[in-house]
Coordinates of all heavy atoms in Angstrom, one line a residue:
E1439 N -37.5 96.9 24.3 CA -38.4 96.7 25.5 C -37.9 97.4 26.7 O -36.7 97.6 26.8 CB -38.4 95.2 25.8 CG -39.0 94.3 24.7 CD -39.1 92.9 25.0 OE1 -38.7 92.5 26.2 OE2 -39.4 92.1 24.2
Q1440 N -38.8 97.9 27.5 CA -38.3 98.6 28.7 C -37.4 97.8 29.5 O -37.7 96.6 29.8 CB -39.6 99.0 29.5 CG -39.2 99.8 30.8 CD -38.6 101.2 30.4 OE1 -38.9 101.7 29.4 NE2 -37.8 101.7 31.3
G1441 N -36.3 98.3 29.9 CA -35.3 97.6 30.7 C -34.4 96.7 29.9 O -33.7 95.9 30.5
D1442 N -34.4 96.9 28.6 CA -33.6 96.0 27.8 C -32.7 96.9 26.9 O -32.9 97.1 25.7 CB -34.5 95.1 26.9 CG -33.6 94.2 26.0 OD1 -32.5 93.9 26.4 OD2 -34.1 93.9 24.9
P1443 N -31.6 97.5 27.5 CA -30.7 98.3 26.7 C -30.1 97.6 25.6 O -29.8 96.4 25.7 CB -29.7 98.8 27.8 CG -30.3 98.5 29.1 CD -31.2 97.4 28.9
R1444 N -29.8 98.3 24.5 CA -29.1 97.7 23.4 C -27.6 98.2 23.3 O -27.3 98.9 22.4 CB -29.8 97.9 22.1 CG -31.2 97.2 22.0 CD -31.8 97.3 20.7 NE -30.9 96.7 19.7 CZ -31.0 96.9 18.4 NH1 -32.0 97.6 17.9 NH2 -30.2 96.2 17.5
I1445 N -26.9 98.0 24.4 CA -25.5 98.4 24.3 C -24.7 97.4 23.5 O -24.5 96.3 23.8 CB -24.9 98.4 25.8 CG1 -25.6 99.4 26.7 CG2 -23.4 98.7 25.7 CD1 -25.4 100.8 26.3
E1446 N -24.4 97.8 22.3 CA -23.7 97.0 21.3 C -22.2 96.9 21.7 O -21.6 95.8 21.5 CB -23.7 97.6 19.9 CG -25.1 97.6 19.3 CD -25.4 96.2 18.7 OE1 -24.6 95.7 17.9 OE2 -26.5 95.7 19.0
A1447 N -21.6 97.9 22.2 CA -20.2 97.9 22.5 C -19.9 98.8 23.7 O -20.6 99.8 24.0 CB -19.4 98.5 21.3
L1448 N -19.0 98.4 24.5 CA -18.5 99.1 25.6 C -17.0 99.3 25.4 O -16.2 98.4 25.4 CB -18.7 98.4 26.9 CG -18.8 99.2 28.2 CD1 -19.3 98.4 29.4 CD2 -17.5 99.8 28.6
I1449 N -16.6 100.6 25.2 CA -15.2 100.9 24.9 C -14.6 101.6 26.0 O -15.1 102.6 26.5 CB -15.1 101.7 23.6 CG1 -15.9 101.0 22.4 CG2 -13.7 102.0 23.2 CD1 -16.0 101.9 21.2
T1450 N -13.4 101.2 26.4 CA -12.6 101.8 27.5 C -11.5 102.5 27.0 O -10.6 102.0 26.3 CB -12.2 100.7 28.5 OG1 -13.3 100.0 29.1 CG2 -11.4 101.3 29.7
T1451 N -11.4 103.8 27.2 CA -10.3 104.7 26.6 C -8.9 104.4 27.3 O -7.9 104.5 26.6 CB -10.6 106.2 26.8 OG1 -10.7 106.5 28.2 CG2 -11.9 106.5 26.1
H1452 N -8.9 104.0 28.5 CA -7.6 103.6 29.2 C -7.9 102.9 30.5 O -9.1 102.9 31.0 CB -6.8 104.8 29.4 CG -7.3 105.9 30.3 ND1 -8.4 106.7 30.0 CD2 -6.9 106.2 31.6 CE1 -8.6 107.5 31.0 NE2 -7.7 107.2 32.0
S1453 N -6.9 102.4 31.1 CA -7.1 101.5 32.2 C -7.0 102.0 33.6 O -7.0 101.3 34.6 CB -6.0 100.4 32.1 OG -4.7 100.9 32.2
H1454 N -7.0 103.4 33.8 CA -6.9 103.9 35.1 C -8.1 103.6 35.9 O -9.2 103.6 35.4 CB -6.6 105.4 35.1 CG -5.2 105.8 34.8 ND1 -4.8 107.0 34.4 CD2 -4.1 105.0 34.9 CE1 -3.5 107.0 34.2 NE2 -3.0 105.8 34.5
W1455 N -7.9 103.4 37.2 CA -9.0 102.8 38.1 C -10.3 103.6 38.0 O -11.3 103.0 38.1 CB -8.4 102.8 39.5 CG -8.2 104.1 40.1 CD1 -7.1 104.9 40.0 CD2 -9.1 104.9 40.9 NE1 -7.2 106.1 40.6 CE2 -8.4 106.1 41.2 CE3 -10.4 104.7 41.4 CZ2 -9.0 107.1 42.0 CZ3 -10.9 105.6 42.2 CH2 -10.3 106.9 42.5
D1456 N -10.2 104.9 37.9 CA -11.4 105.8 38.0 C -12.2 105.7 36.7 O -13.4 106.1 36.8 CB -11.0 107.2 38.3 CG -10.1 107.9 37.3 OD1 -9.1 107.2 37.0 OD2 -10.4 109.0 36.8
H1457 N -11.7 105.0 35.7 CA -12.5 104.9 34.5 C -13.1 103.5 34.3 O -13.8 103.3 33.3 CB -11.6 105.2 33.3 CG -11.3 106.7 33.1 ND1 -12.0 107.5 32.3 CD2 -10.5 107.5 33.8 CE1 -11.6 108.8 32.4 NE2 -10.6 108.7 33.3
I1458 N -12.9 102.6 35.2 CA -13.3 101.2 35.0 C -14.0 100.6 36.2 O -14.3 99.4 36.1 CB -12.1 100.3 34.6 CG1 -11.0 100.3 35.7 CG2 -11.4 100.8 33.3 CD1 -9.9 99.3 35.5
R1459 N -14.4 101.3 37.1 CA -15.0 100.8 38.4 C -16.4 100.1 38.1 O -16.8 99.2 38.8 CB -15.1 101.8 39.5 CG -13.7 102.1 40.1 CD -13.8 103.1 41.2 NE -14.0 104.4 40.7 CZ -14.0 105.5 41.4 NH1 -14.0 105.4 42.7 NH2 -14.1 106.7 40.9
A1460 N -17.1 100.6 37.1 CA -18.4 100.0 36.8 C -18.3 99.0 35.7 O -19.4 98.5 35.2 CB -19.4 101.1 36.4
L1461 N -17.1 98.8 35.2 CA -17.0 97.9 34.0 C -17.5 96.5 34.3 O -18.3 95.9 33.4 CB -15.5 97.9 33.6 CG -15.2 97.1 32.3 CD1 -16.0 97.7 31.1 CD2 -13.7 97.2 32.0
P1462 N -17.2 95.8 35.4 CA -17.6 94.5 35.6 C -19.2 94.4 35.6 O -19.7 93.4 34.9 CB -17.1 94.1 36.9 CG -15.9 94.9 37.1 CD -16.2 96.2 36.5
T1463 N -19.8 95.3 36.2 CA -21.3 95.2 36.3 C -21.9 95.5 35.0 O -22.9 94.9 34.5 CB -21.8 96.2 37.4 OG1 -21.2 95.9 38.6 CG2 -23.3 96.0 37.6
A1464 N -21.3 96.5 34.3 CA -21.9 96.9 32.9 C -21.7 95.7 32.0 O -22.6 95.4 31.2 CB -21.1 98.1 32.4
V1465 N -20.6 95.0 32.0 CA -20.4 93.9 31.1 C -21.4 92.7 31.5 O -22.0 92.1 30.6 CB -18.9 93.4 31.2 CG1 -18.8 92.0 30.5 CG2 -18.0 94.4 30.6
A1466 N -21.6 92.5 32.8 CA -22.5 91.4 33.2 C -23.9 91.8 32.8 O -24.7 90.9 32.5 CB -22.4 91.2 34.7
T1467 N -24.3 93.0 32.9 CA -25.7 93.4 32.6 C -26.0 93.5 31.1 O -27.0 93.0 30.7 CB -25.9 94.8 33.2 OG1 -25.7 94.8 34.6 CG2 -27.4 95.3 33.0
Y1468 N -25.1 94.1 30.3 CA -25.4 94.3 28.9 C -24.9 93.3 28.0 O -25.3 93.2 26.8 CB -24.8 95.7 28.5 CG -25.3 96.9 29.3 CD1 -24.4 97.8 29.8 CD2 -26.6 97.0 29.7 CE1 -24.8 98.9 30.5 CE2 -27.1 98.1 30.4 CZ -26.2 99.0 30.8 OH -26.6 100.1 31.6
S1469 N -23.9 92.5 28.4 CA -23.2 91.5 27.5 C -22.7 92.2 26.2 O -23.0 91.7 25.1 CB -24.1 90.3 27.2 OG -24.4 89.7 28.4
P1470 N -22.1 93.3 26.3 CA -21.6 94.0 25.1 C -20.3 93.4 24.5 O -19.6 92.7 25.2 CB -21.4 95.4 25.5 CG -20.8 95.2 26.9 CD -21.5 94.0 27.5
A1471 N -20.0 93.8 23.3 CA -18.7 93.6 22.8 C -17.8 94.6 23.5 O -18.2 95.8 23.7 CB -18.6 93.8 21.3
T1472 N -16.6 94.2 24.0 CA -15.8 95.0 24.8 C -14.5 95.3 24.0 O -13.9 94.5 23.4 CB -15.4 94.4 26.2 OG1 -14.9 93.1 26.0 CG2 -16.7 94.3 27.1
Y1473 N -14.0 96.6 24.2 CA -12.8 97.1 23.5 C -12.0 97.9 24.4 O -12.5 98.7 25.2 CB -13.3 97.9 22.3 CG -14.1 97.3 21.2 CD1 -15.5 97.1 21.4 CD2 -13.5 96.8 20.0 CE1 -16.3 96.5 20.5 CE2 -14.3 96.2 19.1 CZ -15.7 96.0 19.3 OH -16.5 95.4 18.3

């Protein structure tokens, strides 16, 4: 459905600040499995 992404997984390659700034909002929006 429009506006209903199917993000199955959100994978973070490493923890440096510049790679994770959108992580909280992405997790709250998509409810993916996180790795």
Side-chain angles (χ1 to χ4, degrees):
E1439 296 180 5
Q1440 183 64 30
D1442 182 27
R1444 293 191 61 194
I1445 299 291
E1446 291 280 309
L1448 202 170
I1449 306 174
T1450 301
T1451 60
H1452 66 289
S1453 61
H1454 281 164
W1455 67 276
D1456 58 312
H1457 287 260
I1458 60 174
R1459 286 180 284 182
L1461 185 59
T1463 307
V1465 170
T1467 301
Y1468 303 136
S1469 299
T1472 53
Y1473 298 80

